[in-house]
Amino acid sequence: MSHTIAAVSTGNQVAAIGILRLSGDDCIEIAEKVFSRPLQSVPDRKLILGELFDIQSRAIDQCMAVVSRAPHSYTGENTVEFHCHGSPAVLAAGLQSLYAAGARPARRGEFTKRAFLNGKLDLTQAEAVIDLIEAETADAAANAAGQVGGRLQKVLLPVYDRLTDLCSHFHAVLDYPDEDIEDFGLSNYAASLRSDAKALYALLQTYGQGRILRQGVKTAIVGRPNVGKSSLLNALAGFDRAIVTDIPGTTRDTVEETVLAGSTRLRLIDTAGIRQTADTVEAMGVDRSRKALEEADLALFVCDGSQPLDREDREIIDLCLEAPQAIALINKTDLGSVVEPAELPFMQVIPISAGTGEGLDLLRNCIDDLFAGEVPCDGSILTNPRQYDACRRAYESLLSALRGLKLGVTPDALLLDVEAAMESIGEVTGATVREDITARIFERFCVGK
Ligand SMILES: Nc1nc2c(ncn2[C@@H]2O[C@H](COP(=O)(O)OP(=O)(O)O)[C@@H](O)[C@H]2O)c(=O)[nH]1
Ligand SMILES: [Mg+2]
């Protein structure tokens, strides 16, 4: 018996349409109490025009009701949706009257949780629904949509399936010695485990891209004091996010802002100018700058083009060249430049003026070229730290199993590793290992007929 839950599914803003959603065993009866038309016998997924009543049975909106019966609904349960006019006041009144009629407020994610519990979505898909709703760029949305469609599952399920086979075979041979089951060929298993480990490794490699898709490109703006780093952050952000003065050492802490460069989302980090300093607070800021640079996906090296490069510039350049990607910016072109692009050992050198905005479009395009398109956005990559961690553990268990095979450990010890790998994959897909192995033993080998 599943209690009927109700919620506004479209957010609390004025809009053309707002949807009230109900899911649970009694939802059709409950919906009928607040609606002018009978719903028991209407066909599935047909829009029915009628009136929605508030708690005092006053009509508050003309709206459409649609019924989807179990199991053919998002949650797998009976559901009813009211497509109302999108007035927060109407939706709130409608919701109150649904509560009065017997529904209870839905908790966060509860519709999707029910879909998961009813087998309509697996865990990766359920998590992807949340990612899809929260996606901030088109690419992130496309990837999440792919995960909702089960792309990640397509990578993980074959691995899980082969491991289930292997385990069930081992168990069958060990636990049912009298049955006529082919003995295990350890060398076959080694090949199969190796290819599974390879598939997981390839998936783990996608996480760097996945993190960028999810959180944006971590971009550290670095350079000597006063070259115009904070001015650049402000110019890219489109407002005065960081304090800009002509006093060297103004920025003492890191300042973050998210901006879009084409379709690429950047987490820009403005840093304190890197230099030797006796000022304790500034020195801490400089340490943070170095740390931001170490963690960055992209380093934007900024120099002041109106002055020759000096030793400090060159030291910072060396640090920047260690970042996965780096672009050099010769700033203050409006003052005339004495720095030649060839003096800077970067693949990309762009003259800009944070003051006038010159060169910033070029910079945005250059960044977008570096990062957009490189990531497959079809949902086959890992974007989520929880999923990454579970896949990493699965991979390590498989490596341990392979080491065990080499050393000639007993099948029991091997099984422990393989089952641990399955458990970890199950954390991503929501599979329950014990049941799956047991089921497979009986399905495939007809043991205990
Ligand atoms: N003429 C000119 N001045 C700039 C430009 N960018 C920054 N400045 C000036 O340089 C000084 C230092 O800028 P700021 O952004 O605080 O540098 P930071 O210390 O690297 O963060 C300020 O007086 C800015 O107005 C530019 O493109 N052209
Ligand atoms: Mg600054």
Side-chain angles (χ1 to χ4, degrees):
M1 164 85 200
S2 126
H3 201 106
T4 293
I5 52 174
V8 176
S9 289
T10 41
N12 213 7
Q13 276 153 5
V14 177
I17 294 171
I19 297 176
L20 289 170
R21 194 192 223 178
L22 284 166
S23 180
D25 292 346
D26 303 330
C27 76
I28 301 174
E29 290 88 329
I30 291 173
E32 278 186 328
K33 292 189 198 161
V34 307
F35 195 58
S36 60
R37 304 263 307 267
L39 294 171
Q40 285 295 354
S41 54
V42 302
D44 268 13
R45 288 189 284 278
K46 183 172 181 205
L47 291 167
I48 309 292
L49 184 66
E51 273 167 345
L52 182 71
F53 301 132
D54 73 4
I55 204 162
Q56 275 118 24
S57 305
R58 287 181 307 208
I60 45 168
D61 196 11
Q62 192 175 49
C63 68
M64 311 256 236
V66 56
V67 175
S68 305
R69 291 177 183 79
H72 305 294
S73 70
Y74 177 73
T75 57
E77 307 174 331
N78 286 346
T79 61
V80 178
E81 284 177 7
F82 291 107
H83 295 224
C84 308
H85 292 101
S87 140
V90 164
L91 294 171
L95 202 55
Q96 285 309 322
S97 101
L98 286 170
Y99 295 159
R104 74 156 167 76
R107 287 187 273 272
R108 265 182 83 91
E110 198 170 5
F111 289 95
T112 303
K113 184 177 164 199
R114 288 188 176 192
F116 167 66
L117 291 176
N118 290 321
K120 302 295 285 190
L121 297 172
D122 63 55
L123 258 191
T124 60
Q125 292 169 315
E127 281 184 314
V129 171
I130 308 294
D131 285 350
L132 180 59
I133 293 168
E134 290 178 351
E136 288 186 31
T137 62
D139 282 353
N143 192 64
Q147 288 195 357
V148 177
R151 288 300 290 259
L152 195 55
Q153 202 73 349
K154 277 210 181 94
V155 181
L156 289 175
L157 278 188
V159 174
Y160 186 84
D161 191 57
R162 282 192 294 271
L163 296 176
T164 314
D165 239 3
L166 198 153
C167 277
S168 57
H169 199 156
F170 268 40
H171 274 299
V173 174
L174 291 173
D175 300 346
Y176 303 90
D178 300 338
E179 291 289 329
D180 189 17
I181 296 166
E182 224 181 290
D183 215 348
F184 27 74
L186 286 182
S187 59
N188 289 345
Y189 288 137
S192 159
L193 284 175
R194 253 196 304 277
S195 84
D196 290 339
K198 233 164 130 185
L200 286 180
Y201 183 76
L203 187 62
L204 289 171
Q205 293 305 92
T206 65
Y207 181 60
Q209 299 296 335
R211 193 177 49 75
I212 288 176
L213 203 56
R214 198 179 162 86
Q215 303 178 341
V217 176
K218 212 168 179 192
T219 307
I221 306 175
V222 287
R224 277 196 295 128
N226 243 18
V227 294
K229 297 180 297 300
S230 300
S231 304
L232 174 64
L233 175 90
N234 291 345
L236 290 173
F239 69 103
D240 286 342
R241 173 70 177 84
I243 299 171
V244 170
T245 73
D246 56 2
I247 308 162
T250 302
T251 309
R252 293 168 156 229
D253 203 349
T254 45
V255 177
E256 277 200 41
E257 191 56 47
T258 301
V259 306
L260 276 180
S263 61
T264 305
R265 196 154 57 106
L266 302 182
R267 274 169 64 209
L268 280 180
I269 303 154
D270 178 26
T271 64
I274 296 178
R275 65 168 171 179
Q276 294 286 354
T277 173
D279 181 310
T280 328
V281 180
E282 192 187 348
M284 288 168 79
V286 171
D287 278 347
R288 288 192 180 186
S289 304
R290 290 177 188 276
K291 188 147 182 297
L293 188 52
E294 277 166 22
E295 293 171 356
D297 303 306
L298 169 66
L300 294 180
F301 168 75
V302 186
C303 65
D304 181 342
S306 67
Q307 299 173 4
L309 294 177
D310 67 10
R311 189 180 49 81
E312 276 180 335
D313 283 313
R314 292 185 208 288
E315 283 176 15
I316 301 167
I317 288 172
D318 286 343
L319 294 176
C320 286
L321 291 176
E322 286 173 22
Q325 299 282 1
I327 299 175
L329 303 171
I330 304 175
N331 190 29
K332 309 195 188 181
T333 49
D334 53 300
L335 300 179
S337 185
V338 297
V339 178
E340 288 298 322
E343 290 178 67
L344 294 159
F346 290 78
M347 297 281 282
Q348 311 277 355
V349 180
I350 305 174
I352 62 162
S353 167
T356 67
E358 192 195 319
L360 293 185
D361 278 340
L362 207 62
L363 171 61
R364 289 190 195 96
N365 289 341
C366 176
I367 294 174
D368 203 23
D369 285 347
L370 278 180
F371 291 94
E374 205 185 301
V375 189
C377 305
D378 57 0
S380 55
I381 66 173
L382 281 178
T383 51
N384 181 306
R386 195 190 69 79
Q387 294 170 347
Y388 173 77
D389 185 61
C391 291
R392 187 188 52 74
R393 280 182 281 117
Y395 174 67
E396 276 163 15
S397 301
L398 289 190
L399 290 189
S400 163
L402 280 165
R403 272 196 303 274
L405 267 179
K406 243 196 195 134
L407 295 173
V409 299
T410 60
D412 306 50
L414 207 63
L415 265 178
L416 278 184
D417 281 330
V418 175
E419 284 181 22
M422 289 177 66
E423 292 282 356
S424 304
I425 294 176
E427 285 175 35
V428 180
T429 60
T432 43
V433 177
R434 275 281 129 230
E435 279 170 32
D436 288 348
I437 294 177
T438 314
R440 187 68 62 91
I441 290 176
F442 291 100
E443 260 167 41
R444 296 269 165 102
F445 301 106
C446 299
V447 174
K449 286 150 269 220

